[in-house]
Amino acid sequence: MTVALALLVGGAFAFLSTLDPVGDADLFWHLGTAHDIAVRGWGAPDTLSWTAAGVPVATDQWLGQRILGAAFDLAGWRGVLAFRAAGAFALTGLAAYAALSVRPTAPLLAVAAALPGILLTRSITTERPQLIGFACFALLLVVLCRARGRGPRALIWAVPLIAVWANVHGSFALGVGLVFIACCERTVSDRRAWFPYAAIAAAAFAASLLTPAGAGTWTAPGLHLTAPPREIQEWAV
């Protein structure tokens, strides 16, 4: 019942996402960057903007851009639309599953409680790497919900998730923060297990550095948090 309802919610919103035309403002920039990374590798000079010409291409979203680029290479604009539908399916389906895992005995109530949050995701179901990033956020919610009442081992899955997320989109910083908060909460409730939880929190942060940019991976989310909004990429001069 839980899985079936989550699949139903995810499928419904995936279908609705296909009704809008492809046309995100940054789509061509993401596709161009994906092509440059595939052909010339990381650190290739920027060829897409005049103010940052010659500066190495930012790699904070390289994996998300390569996935989007692969979808376009495989099926053109239909591939881009399929990318969006798959992201919407993962994001909304996982969010519903997280709610259902907390209230498995009242599935309809759980879905109703999650619906406002799911509806708010409508603005981010666009063809850009951030969609994969927020799907990672929904998956982390599932990990955190299922880890409640269990030992530290239940949180270990958050570490490889952060490692992937950090290569997809700068929203990974939210995930690192949530893992830290969860570990602190578990430590308060079970002080004897403080060391494993501290190790998981440290491992989650270390996993965020496993990117081509290393510690520089934190630069992009840092700038977004301290000086929003960042609507264009020319700020990376």
Side-chain angles (χ1 to χ4, degrees):
M1 181 66 171
T2 296
V3 175
L5 261 178
L7 291 175
L8 181 62
V9 172
F13 280 90
F15 170 74
L16 290 175
S17 73
T18 65
L19 301 180
D20 293 330
V22 172
D24 183 81
D26 284 346
L27 175 58
F28 290 101
W29 173 77
H30 286 303
L31 292 176
T33 301
H35 178 267
D36 285 350
I37 292 175
V39 173
R40 297 183 293 162
W42 298 320
D46 190 316
T47 61
L48 303 175
S49 57
W50 63 271
T51 58
V55 176
V57 173
T59 57
D60 59 303
Q61 303 180 57
W62 79 270
L63 182 56
Q65 289 166 330
R66 287 294 294 122
I67 295 173
L68 178 57
F72 178 78
D73 292 339
L74 285 172
W77 299 118
R78 292 183 184 275
V80 174
L81 193 61
F83 168 91
R84 185 209 291 167
F89 175 81
L91 172 57
T92 56
L94 287 169
Y97 184 81
L100 289 164
S101 66
V102 176
R103 287 283 184 270
T105 58
L108 295 180
L109 181 62
V111 171
L115 199 56
I118 290 175
L119 290 173
L120 288 174
T121 66
R122 178 68 181 80
S123 62
I124 60 174
T125 51
T126 58
E127 50 279 2
R128 56 168 60 201
Q130 74 167 15
L131 181 55
I132 309 177
F134 281 99
C136 289
F137 168 75
L139 181 56
L140 180 61
L141 288 182
V142 173
V143 172
L144 295 179
C145 289
R146 293 184 65 85
R148 291 187 63 85
R150 303 183 182 183
R153 291 184 180 181
L155 279 173
I156 291 178
W157 290 105
V159 177
L161 174 58
I162 294 294
V164 174
W165 192 352
N167 286 277
V168 167
H169 188 254
S171 55
F172 77 90
L174 175 61
V176 175
L178 287 177
V179 171
F180 178 78
I181 292 171
C183 289
C184 289
E185 188 268 336
R186 302 296 194 280
T187 301
V188 171
S189 60
D190 186 7
R191 295 187 179 183
R192 293 174 298 178
W194 70 270
F195 182 77
Y197 287 120
I200 291 172
F205 176 77
S208 72
L209 305 179
L210 301 178
T211 71
T217 304
W218 283 86
T219 302
L223 285 174
H224 281 285
L225 288 172
T226 56
R230 295 290 182 177
E231 306 259 340
I232 58 175
Q233 293 301 316
E234 300 290 32
W235 60 268
V237 184

